[in-house]
């Protein structure tokens, strides 16, 4: 080589890599496990919520199907009334004859009609709920306390024919009146009992 000759500088050029398929970045495995676990947890929660909802629906159906019997029990009646209020079904009228209180009663002969008595009474419903009109057992007795006659008076017997019997509300008073045939001239006492 000549001393005066110029030395050509050489630079190394590294070739660019040829374009290939795009490189995927993969997340660490613990992130995949966490994502899978949260999806499974959400799915399990939805399944449990569906199980609870279906169980509640089944309970509501059982109560509504058996409402006639359950409505006769004081502990179940408020629930049955609430459900029937929401679902527009009928609740049987409350029946508690011992909750009727007699306020006044009277049996007397009708003037001009021998052998016929007028029985009338006023009573109050002391139950917590409205009740149907009661069956009233009227018993007529003699001076020695012997029963001379008795009759179970149905609401149709003592209510006017054109009056539709509406349940008697809690604390509400009601009146009844009926004509009966006197079983004997020895009648001196009477009693009214609710059935």
């Amino acid at each position: 080589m000549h001393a005066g000759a110029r030395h050509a500088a050489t630079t190394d050029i590294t070739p660019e890599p040829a374009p290939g398929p795009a490189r995927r970045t993969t997340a660490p495995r613990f992130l995949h496990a966490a994502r899978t676990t949260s999806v499974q947890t959400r799915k399990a929660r939805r399944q449990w919520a569906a199980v609870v909802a279906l169980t509640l629906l089944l309970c509501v159906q059982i109560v509504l199907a058996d409402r006639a019997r359950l409505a006769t029990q004081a502990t179940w009646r408020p629930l049955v009334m609430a459900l029937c209020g929401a679902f527009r079904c009928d609740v049987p009228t409350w029946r508690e004859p011992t909750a009727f209180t007699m306020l006044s009663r009277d049996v007397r002969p009708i003037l001009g009609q021998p052998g016929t008595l007028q029985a009338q009474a006023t009573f109050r419903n002391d139950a917590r709920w409205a009740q149907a009109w009661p069956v009233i057992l009227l018993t007529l007795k003699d001076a020695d306390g012997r029963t001379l006659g008795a009759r179970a008076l149905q609401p149709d017997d003592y209510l006017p024919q054109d009056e539709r019997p509406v349940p008697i509300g809690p604390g509400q008073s009601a009146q009844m009146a009926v004509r009966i045939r006197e079983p004997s001239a020895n009648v001196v006492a009477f009693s009214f009992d609710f059935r």
Side-chain angles (χ1 to χ4, degrees):
M1 262 193 141
H2 241 255
R6 282 187 159 186
H7 181 48
T10 57
T11 56
D12 287 335
I13 298 176
T14 53
E16 285 187 31
R23 222 170 146 205
R24 268 191 293 158
T25 57
T26 56
R29 285 188 182 175
F30 69 88
L31 288 179
H32 287 294
R35 193 176 312 139
T36 305
T37 304
S38 68
V39 169
Q40 289 173 342
T41 303
R42 280 192 301 241
K43 190 174 180 181
R45 284 183 185 156
R46 280 194 298 256
Q47 288 173 343
W48 277 109
V51 167
V52 169
L54 289 173
T55 303
L56 287 174
L57 183 61
L58 178 64
C59 291
V60 167
Q61 288 178 337
I62 289 171
V63 169
L64 290 177
D66 200 20
R67 70 183 180 274
R69 184 182 64 81
L70 293 174
T72 64
Q73 301 172 17
T75 53
W76 283 95
R77 189 167 182 85
L79 176 64
V80 172
M81 289 177 69
L83 286 175
C84 280
F87 291 102
R88 296 185 179 145
C89 58
D90 295 329
V91 180
T93 309
W94 181 252
R95 183 159 166 68
E96 187 181 355
T98 57
F100 283 112
T101 301
M102 186 63 70
L103 301 176
S104 67
R105 61 183 186 226
D106 189 28
V107 176
R108 64 180 59 192
I110 299 175
L111 295 174
Q113 296 183 20
T116 306
L117 301 173
Q118 174 78 23
Q120 53 192 24
T122 303
F123 51 91
R124 183 181 60 234
N125 176 19
D126 289 333
R128 289 187 278 176
W129 298 287
Q131 291 199 70
W133 288 77
V135 174
I136 300 174
L137 180 64
L138 173 59
T139 307
L140 302 173
K141 300 178 181 181
D142 65 9
D144 296 326
R146 288 185 300 236
T147 299
L148 298 174
R151 182 171 172 197
L153 300 167
Q154 301 291 331
D156 290 341
D157 295 329
Y158 61 80
L159 289 175
Q161 296 298 327
D162 58 342
E163 186 176 314
R164 185 171 174 239
V166 177
I168 305 166
Q172 184 179 355
S173 296
Q175 294 180 338
M176 62 80 67
V178 66
R179 291 182 179 193
I180 56 172
R181 185 164 290 152
E182 188 174 19
S184 168
N186 299 328
V187 173
V188 294
F190 59 89
S191 64
F192 287 87
D193 296 300
F194 298 106
R195 302 291 162 111

